[in-house]
């Protein structure tokens, strides 16, 4: 069984890497991912300046997934650019840089600086952080997205991608696809970011479980799997020539298989990685390999995007 993926001029030994935000804020964490069975690495979404983020508790896991309102804590763009400068690209694991400026100008500043650095890493621009009080998710404002992408494409001419929020309406899928298809340099979309502003309640304490936003936070894990799969499949259909990276609810080889069947080129692990640690990558790969062998698939292309309808 061959789990390899080749896309964007990159060669990955397998389709798995971390979701931005998990095990990727410090160099120590990034190195944990890079030296694991993961085939790529992505950094925590960054802003030009370091941020401490929201007050704790700001993450909580349940039997069904997770809720978080981290508030974009990160070491600042220069820190991750520095990591990207010394990253061992020759070892064959691509590096993605997640950018999440608080304003369009911040994204433009980081992108133009990254362009000037001429590094092999690829930007994933976050259009979907749900946890910045007072800031709506850019990904839900189609006009603003078009304007932002127009300006980003002016300052950054290389291949790039965007991290999308989940959409829940066919008209929204179509509207966002129309925006994204206007940008040839936009080579991939990562679906999905957490489902924004859920509320987890602890019955014993009769309380919310995270402090920010009176308990509202982005949902991840099993809670979001069907929504993640829908977004992967819809954008796989609607964005010809672009890649979809699947993210959301992958706990085993089965969910990784589902995401690839729905059309994902590669898949990111978030909540499961946070809860289990980097051993999750090898476990999920073993499970995916066994599932493929059982089904008689030699490589990912044998089933990628071949979800049957009734
Ligand atoms: C970049 C901020 C994000 C955060 C955060 O730092 O609160 N949490 C998410 O689930 N998704 C995000 O995109």
């Amino acid at each position: 069984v061959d789990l390899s993926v080749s896309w964007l001029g990159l060669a990955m030994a397998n389709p798995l890497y971390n979701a931005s935000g998990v095990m990727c804020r410090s160099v120590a964490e990034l190195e944990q991912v890079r030296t694991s069975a993961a085939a790529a690495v992505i950094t925590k979404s960054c802003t030009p300046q370091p941020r401490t983020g929201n007050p704790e508790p700001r993450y909580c896991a349940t039997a069904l997934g997770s809720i978080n309102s981290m508030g974009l804590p990160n070491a600042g763009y220069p820190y991750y650019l520095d990591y990207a400068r010394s990253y061992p690209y020759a070892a064959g694991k691509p590096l993605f840089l997640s950018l999440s400026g608080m304003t369009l100008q911040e994204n433009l500043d980081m992108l133009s600086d990254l362009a000037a650095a001429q590094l092999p890493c690829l930007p994933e621009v976050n259009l979907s952080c749900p946890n910045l009080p007072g800031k709506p998710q850019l990904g839900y404002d189609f006009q603003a997205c078009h304007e932002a992408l127009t300006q980003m494409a002016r300052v950054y001419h290389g291949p790039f991608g965007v991290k999308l929020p989940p959409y829940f309406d066919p008209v929204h899928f179509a509207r966002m696809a129309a925006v994204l298809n206007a940008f040839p340099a936009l080579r991939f979309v990562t679906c999905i970011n957490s489902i924004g502003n859920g509320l987890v309640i602890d019955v014993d304490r009769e309380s919310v479980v995270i402090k920010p936003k009176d308990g509202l936070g982005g949902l991840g894990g099993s809670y979001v799997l069907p929504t993640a799969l829908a977004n992967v499949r819809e954008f796989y259909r609607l964005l010809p020539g672009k890649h979809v990276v699947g993210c959301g609810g992958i706990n085993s080889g089965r969910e990784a298989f589902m995401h690839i069947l729905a059309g994902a080129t590669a898949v990111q692990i978030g909540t499961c990685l946070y809860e289990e640690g980097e051993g999750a990558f090898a476990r999920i790969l073993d499970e995916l390999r066994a599932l493929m062998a059982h089904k008689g698939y030699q490589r990912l292309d044998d089933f990628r995007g071949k979800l049957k309808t009734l």
Side-chain angles (χ1 to χ4, degrees):
V1 173
D2 171 9
L3 293 179
S4 67
V5 179
S6 64
W7 63 310
L8 307 181
L10 308 167
M12 288 168 55
N14 68 66
L16 263 53
Y17 57 119
N18 63 303
S20 178
V22 181
M23 202 180 282
C24 58
R25 191 162 8 134
S26 66
V27 169
E29 287 183 317
L30 288 160
E31 283 298 285
Q32 261 186 291
V33 174
R34 191 182 64 80
T35 57
S36 75
V41 182
I42 187 166
T43 58
K44 166 66 185 174
S45 290
C46 67
T47 43
Q49 309 298 327
R51 286 173 54 90
T52 51
N54 288 338
E56 295 180 330
R58 57 195 190 181
Y59 172 91
C60 180
T62 72
L64 297 175
S66 66
I67 185 168
N68 90 83
S69 187
M70 310 301 283
L72 199 39
N74 74 95
Y77 167 74
Y79 180 92
Y80 302 105
L81 182 71
D82 202 46
Y83 181 72
R85 286 194 192 287
S86 59
Y87 188 83
Y89 298 97
K93 295 191 178 185
L95 176 66
F96 296 86
L97 237 57
S98 176
L99 306 175
S100 189
M102 303 294 282
T103 62
L104 172 56
Q105 190 56 51
E106 289 195 355
N107 277 328
L108 296 176
D109 293 345
M110 291 187 286
L111 276 170
S112 43
D113 187 88
L114 186 61
Q118 296 197 310
L119 293 167
C121 56
L122 290 163
E124 180 187 87
V125 180
N126 188 343
L127 303 180
S128 45
C129 181
N131 302 320
L132 301 173
K135 304 278 291 180
Q137 290 171 257
L138 186 59
Y140 290 148
D141 181 336
F142 305 117
Q143 182 53 42
C145 276
H146 191 275
E147 180 54 33
L149 288 166
T150 300
Q151 298 208 39
M152 290 183 206
R154 274 199 202 113
V155 302
Y156 192 86
H157 303 124
F160 74 102
V162 292
K163 177 74 168 283
L164 296 178
Y167 299 95
F168 303 92
D169 180 311
V171 172
H172 294 164
F173 286 124
R175 288 254 180 86
M176 192 54 180
V179 170
L180 299 169
N181 280 324
F183 300 94
L186 197 163
R187 302 290 306 109
F188 67 93
V189 298
T190 302
C191 299
I192 57 173
N193 205 321
S194 50
I195 293 180
N197 298 298
L199 183 62
V200 168
I201 290 176
D202 178 324
V203 169
D204 302 330
R205 295 199 188 96
E206 300 179 14
S207 166
V208 303
V209 297
I210 55 173
K211 186 176 177 68
K213 297 170 65 172
D214 285 345
L216 297 184
L219 303 178
S222 300
Y223 290 122
V224 312
L225 178 64
T227 295
L229 292 172
N231 278 258
V232 167
R233 205 277 303 273
E234 293 307 298
F235 283 113
Y236 178 69
R237 285 174 162 178
L238 290 167
L239 303 175
K242 298 185 191 302
H243 292 276
V244 181
V245 175
C247 184
I250 299 174
N251 291 315
S252 77
R254 293 179 68 80
E255 295 82 28
F257 182 86
M258 294 177 203
H259 270 268
I260 296 166
L261 193 64
T265 294
V267 294
Q268 297 178 351
I269 317 294
T271 300
C272 176
L273 176 60
Y274 191 110
E275 292 303 308
E276 182 173 339
E278 72 273 16
F281 291 118
R283 175 181 59 82
I284 292 169
L285 286 172
D286 286 345
E287 291 162 351
L288 177 58
R289 203 176 280 115
L291 184 56
M292 286 171 65
H294 177 68
K295 289 169 168 284
Y297 292 129
Q298 288 300 315
R299 57 194 59 73
L300 301 181
D301 279 342
D302 291 348
F303 65 94
R304 177 176 289 116
K306 298 190 175 165
L307 174 64
K308 297 172 188 161
T309 53
L310 299 179

